[in-house]
C-alpha cells in the first residue's frame, strides 16, 4: 500500500524545504505508530520511495542524513523518535541506485551502521533499504554485498539474508542461486567458528535470520535449496542442525514439499 498522493506531494514539499522540516518531523512522529508493537510501514515505505530517483535535492539528502545519525540516546527503541532514523535508513537504500559516488559512499556508511545498531528496527530498516535497491537493480545489490561479505560482522550477515529472503527478488533463478551461495558461505562460516561470549547475542540474531530465510530460498528453487539443507542437516553441528530444523517447519516447505521435508527430518533422526 502507498500513502494518498496528496500526502506524498505534501511530504515532498516539506522534505525539500528546510523551513518546513519541523512540520514534517511532527507529522512523521504523530503517524509513526510508536510507541506500539508495529511501526507505520506504509508511510515509511512511501517516504523511502520519494528518494528512489535521481532528482533528490541536497536539502532532502541533508534531512535523511541528519535523521539517520540520530543515536539511541535520542531515539530509543519503541519511542516515536526511532521512526525518523528508521525511515531515513530505508530511504538511503532506496536512493542508492540513483545516487552519485559521494552519496553512495555515505549511504553505504549509514546502511552498515544500521545493520550493526542495537535497535532492531534500525537493523530491519537496513534490510528493507537493501530490498528496495534489489528490486530496482539486483546486480547492483549483488555487487554491494560482494564488497561487504569478506569480514562482515554477524549482524551484517543477518542483514544480508534478511534482505535477500524477499520474494520479489527471487523470481530469477540466477538470483536464487546467488542467495543460496551467499547463505551457504555464512553457514560454513558458522561451522568453522566458535563465537565467544561477547558475540553470543549477535549470533542469536544471525541464527534467527537463517532459521527462516533458507526456507524462502529453498521454496524458490527446491532442488539446490534442499541439497543445501541436506548438507547442513548432516553436518553434525548442533547450531546448523537447529537452523535446518526451523526451516523444515515452515509452511512454505511443509505444504509444498512434504516428501523432501520428511526425508530430511528422517536424516536428522539418524545423524
Amino acid at each position: 500500500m502507498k500513502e494518498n498522493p496528496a500526502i506524498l506531494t505534501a511530504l515532498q514539499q516539506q522534505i525539500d524545504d528546510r523551513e518546513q522540516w519541523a512540520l514534517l518531523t511532527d507529522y512523521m512522529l504523530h503517524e509513526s505508530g510508536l510507541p506500539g508493537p508495529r511501526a507505520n510501514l506504509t508511510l515509511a515505505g512511501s517516504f523511502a520511495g520519494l528518494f528512489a530517483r535521481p532528482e533528490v535535492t541536497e536539502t532532502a539528502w541533508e534531512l535523511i542524513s541528519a535523521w539517520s545519525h540520530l543515536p539511541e540516546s535520542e531515539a530509543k527503541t519503541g519511542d516515536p523518535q526511532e521512526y525518523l532514523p528508521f525511515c531515513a535508513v530505508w530511504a538511503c537504500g532506496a536512493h542508492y541506485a540513483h545516487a552519485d559516488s559521494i552519496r553512495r559512499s555515505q549511504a553505504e556508511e549509514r546502511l552498515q551502521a544500521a545493520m550493526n545498531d542495537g535497535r532492531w528496527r534500525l537493523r530491519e530498516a537496513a534490510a528493507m533499504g537493501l530490498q528496495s535497491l534489489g528490486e530496482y537493480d539486483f546486480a547492483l545489490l549483488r555487487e554491494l554485498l560482494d564488497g561487504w561479505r569478506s569480514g562482515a560482522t554477524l549482524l551484517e550477515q543477518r542483514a544480508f539474508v534478511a534482505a535477500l529472503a524477499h520474494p520479489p527478488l527471487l523470481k530469477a533463478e540466477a538470483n536464487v542461486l546467488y542467495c543460496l551461495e551467499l547463505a551457504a558461505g555464512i553457514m560454513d562460516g558458522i561451522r568453522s567458528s566458535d563465537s565467544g561470549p561477547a558475540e553470543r547475542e549477535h549470533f542469536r540474531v544471525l541464527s534467527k535470520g537463517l532459521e527462516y530465510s533458507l526456507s524462502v530460498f529453498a521454496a524458490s528453487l527446491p532442488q539446490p535449496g534442499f541439497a543445501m539443507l541436506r548438507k547442513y542437516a548432516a553436518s553434525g553441528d548442533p547450531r546448523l542442525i537447529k537452523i535446518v530444523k526451523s526451516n523444515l517447519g515452515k509452511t512454505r516447505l511443509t505444504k509444498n514439499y512434504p516428501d523432501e521435508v520428511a526425508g530430511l527430518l528422517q536424516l536428522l533422526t539418524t545423524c
Side-chain angles (χ1 to χ4, degrees), residues 174-214:
N175 293 3
V176 184
L177 290 173
Y178 174 75
C179 295
L180 289 168
E181 183 269 327
L182 182 144
I186 293 174
M187 295 285 277
D188 288 338
I190 293 172
R191 190 174 185 178
S192 63
S193 69
D194 182 19
S195 299
E199 290 192 295
R200 198 161 291 153
E201 174 60 17
H202 291 181
F203 175 77
R204 185 193 68 80
V205 173
L206 170 60
S207 182
K208 288 292 184 183
L210 290 165
E211 286 171 22
Y212 76 89
S213 60
L214 301 189

Side-chain angles (χ1 to χ4, degrees), residues 2 4 9 22 26 44 66 91 108 118 124 142 146 153 163 185 211 224 237-238 241 246 256 267:
K2 290 187 176 181
N4 183 297
T9 299
D26 288 344
E108 288 178 28
E124 289 300 314
R142 176 174 179 166
D146 284 344
T153 67
E211 286 171 22
D237 188 314
I241 290 172
S246 178
N256 298 312
L267 173 63

Side-chain angles (χ1 to χ4, degrees), residues 35 132 226:
S132 294
F226 277 98

Side-chain angles (χ1 to χ4, degrees), residues 138-249:
F138 189 86
L140 184 57
L141 172 61
R142 176 174 179 166
E143 179 183 329
L144 183 60
L145 296 184
D146 284 344
W148 282 341
R149 285 169 65 177
S150 178
T153 67
L154 297 177
L155 292 180
E156 288 167 359
Q157 292 174 48
R158 183 267 171 191
F160 300 166
V161 295
L164 293 171
H166 183 52
L169 303 182
L170 303 176
K171 296 175 182 178
E173 180 175 323
N175 293 3
V176 184
L177 290 173
Y178 174 75
C179 295
L180 289 168
E181 183 269 327
L182 182 144
I186 293 174
M187 295 285 277
D188 288 338
I190 293 172
R191 190 174 185 178
S192 63
S193 69
D194 182 19
S195 299
E199 290 192 295
R200 198 161 291 153
E201 174 60 17
H202 291 181
F203 175 77
R204 185 193 68 80
V205 173
L206 170 60
S207 182
K208 288 292 184 183
L210 290 165
E211 286 171 22
Y212 76 89
S213 60
L214 301 189
S215 68
V216 178
F217 305 147
S220 299
L221 204 58
Q223 186 172 353
F226 277 98
M228 181 183 67
L229 292 173
R230 188 174 301 108
K231 171 185 175 181
Y232 296 113
S235 67
D237 188 314
R239 299 168 298 177
L240 301 185
I241 290 172
K242 178 184 177 184
I243 290 169
V244 171
K245 280 184 175 179
S246 178
N247 281 282
L248 293 176

Side-chain angles (χ1 to χ4, degrees), residues 10-46:
L11 289 178
Q12 186 68 73
Q13 292 173 345
Q14 292 168 356
I15 287 168
D16 289 328
D17 183 352
R18 190 175 280 99
E19 293 185 359
Q20 296 190 61
W21 280 4
L23 183 64
L24 170 65
T25 299
D26 288 344
Y27 176 80
M28 297 295 284
L29 295 177
H30 183 267
E31 298 296 325
S32 68
L34 301 176
R38 191 178 296 273
N40 186 341
L41 297 183
T42 298
L43 175 58
S46 295

